[in-house]
Amino acid sequence: MSKLKIAVQKSGRLNEKSLLLLKECGIKISNGTSKLKAEAQNFPIEVLFLRDDDIPQYVEQQVADIGILGENEVLEKGKKVSVVEQLGFAACRLSLAIPKNKNYQGVRDFEGKRIATSYPNILAEFLQNNAVKAEIEEIGGSVEIAPSIGLADAVCDIVSTGSTLLTNGLKEVETVLNSQAVMISSGQLSTEKSELLEKLLFRIRAVRNASANKYILLNSPDSAIEAISALLPGMKSPTILPLNRKGWSSIHSVVKEDEFWDVIDQLKSLGAEGILVVPIEKMIV
Ligand code: PRP
Ligand code: ZN
């Protein structure tokens, strides 16, 4: 039986979260990231630990069937791979940054300047769209030190928490691109491997739905059941259970995490009491 080969980042921002996602999908990986390869004990999958920059190429060449990496790398490398799923973690942006003591008026300030980056293609396109001519200094890593050693006037690099820029005396002045972790595929998988990918995606969606939703339980006066149910449509419809107290019921439903605070005030004004909100582990819609 063939195994689905998945490439994940060897070390860096995406590594831990990529492995956590597989774990939450019930996939047990036997050894750590010290080796190049790891096998799962309970799912026909083989994990390859690679530099994220190399993942698009390995997937295009089908050394790996699928890969988890930042959308930024996918766009930069321009390989023949397709994004099969947005994974919603490792959100970051590719930004232009300059020394913090420099004034900034607008993107025209970059005219004639030297910009250090590991993303020459994305940056070139951005500059062209803004009709700015600047010199692009391509470097593989530690881009943030380029201005302080006199290699460049500015940098174009990934910003996540912003601490790398801060510790290097730089300030972010333009966002070039927003990015997050995605899953890519070569689009040339055998039927057997496509089926495995579908199975994996099914699990990933269940995990992601679960974390985006909460289970909500509350007590409602019977007269408010209809109005409260309309606010909490749930997956099909809410569950209504009678309380051992006349005129009251318990309503169970599912609510989107980001809509919860908007709904809560309305629930209270409709007379809801004893509201409990609990996490969901997996959610199959
Ligand atoms: C980026 C970037 C910085 C860091 C920024 O590297 O080059 O080093 O993340 O994060 P912060 O704003 O939280 O400090 P990335 O993780 O993409 O790894 P790589 O470029 O070394 O592959
Ligand atoms: Zn990288």
Side-chain angles (χ1 to χ4, degrees):
M1 189 183 177
S2 63
K3 289 189 175 183
L4 192 66
K5 285 181 283 181
I6 181 168
V8 302
Q9 193 188 34
K10 194 173 162 56
S11 65
R13 270 182 318 118
L14 282 102
N15 167 269
E16 253 176 58
K17 284 182 179 159
S18 305
L19 293 174
L20 179 65
L21 178 66
L22 295 179
K23 193 179 164 196
E24 286 173 336
C25 289
I27 295 170
K28 289 203 180 79
I29 291 149
S30 44
N31 46 354
T33 55
S34 52
K35 286 192 180 165
L36 180 66
K37 273 188 201 178
E39 307 245 326
Q41 297 147 12
N42 56 355
F43 194 90
I45 202 168
E46 188 175 82
V47 184
L48 309 177
F49 296 101
L50 300 167
R51 283 193 56 198
D52 60 341
D53 314 47
D54 296 333
I55 293 177
Q57 184 180 340
Y58 283 127
V59 170
E60 186 189 63
Q61 294 172 344
Q62 297 175 63
V63 172
D65 300 309
I66 57 172
I68 296 178
L69 76 169
E71 209 172 7
N72 51 297
E73 291 292 355
V74 182
L75 293 167
E76 175 61 30
K77 297 298 186 290
K79 299 288 180 192
K80 279 198 223 75
V81 296
S82 50
V83 171
V84 292
E85 193 81 359
Q86 308 265 331
L87 299 174
F89 64 84
C92 65
R93 52 205 184 268
L94 181 65
S95 290
L96 281 157
I98 60 171
K100 66 168 189 284
N101 55 358
K102 291 270 186 334
N103 283 325
Y104 185 72
Q105 247 112 52
V107 70
R108 300 238 33 101
D109 287 8
F110 289 103
E111 184 72 33
K113 295 280 162 51
R114 259 210 296 180
I115 309 169
T117 189
S118 306
Y119 299 88
N121 295 321
I122 298 174
L123 177 58
E125 195 184 326
F126 175 84
L127 293 173
Q128 199 183 3
N129 290 341
N130 286 280
V132 171
K133 286 207 171 61
E135 202 181 315
I136 298 174
E137 194 70 50
E138 182 179 354
I139 43 181
S142 303
V143 170
E144 61 279 357
I145 64 166
S148 64
I149 59 170
L151 183 69
D153 305 296
V155 301
C156 178
D157 200 10
I158 293 297
V159 183
S160 166
T161 60
S163 75
T164 303
L165 291 186
L166 195 70
T167 53
N168 287 282
L170 299 169
K171 63 177 175 191
E172 193 178 355
V173 292
E174 293 286 341
T175 304
V176 173
L177 181 89
N178 285 302
S179 179
Q180 61 168 297
V182 294
M183 179 175 283
I184 57 168
S185 149
S186 69
Q188 311 221 12
L189 304 184
S190 65
T191 315
E192 202 178 351
K193 285 186 175 182
S194 297
E195 281 168 14
L196 287 176
L197 175 57
E198 278 314 309
K199 253 191 199 169
L200 179 62
L201 287 173
F202 175 82
R203 294 189 186 190
I204 287 174
R205 287 168 193 150
V207 168
R208 291 203 55 209
N209 279 333
S211 66
N213 289 279
K214 299 281 176 225
Y215 191 69
I216 182 167
L217 307 86
L218 56 85
N219 294 329
S220 161
D222 286 343
S223 58
I225 288 176
E226 223 165 291
I228 289 178
S229 298
L231 284 176
L232 298 172
M235 292 172 76
K236 190 158 260 142
S237 82
T239 305
I240 318 286
L241 301 166
L243 287 191
N244 194 13
R245 185 163 152 197
K246 212 169 177 298
W248 283 81
S249 294
S250 172
I251 300 182
H252 297 201
S253 193
V254 162
V255 64
K256 281 206 174 65
E257 162 113 76
D258 54 7
E259 286 169 12
F260 171 73
W261 292 110
D262 294 337
V263 161
I264 194 85
D265 290 333
Q266 300 178 61
L267 293 177
K268 277 165 64 190
S269 64
L270 286 165
E273 287 179 9
I275 304 170
L276 298 179
V277 179
V278 292
I280 299 170
E281 196 178 312
K282 304 282 187 295
M283 180 167 158
I284 291 78
V285 288

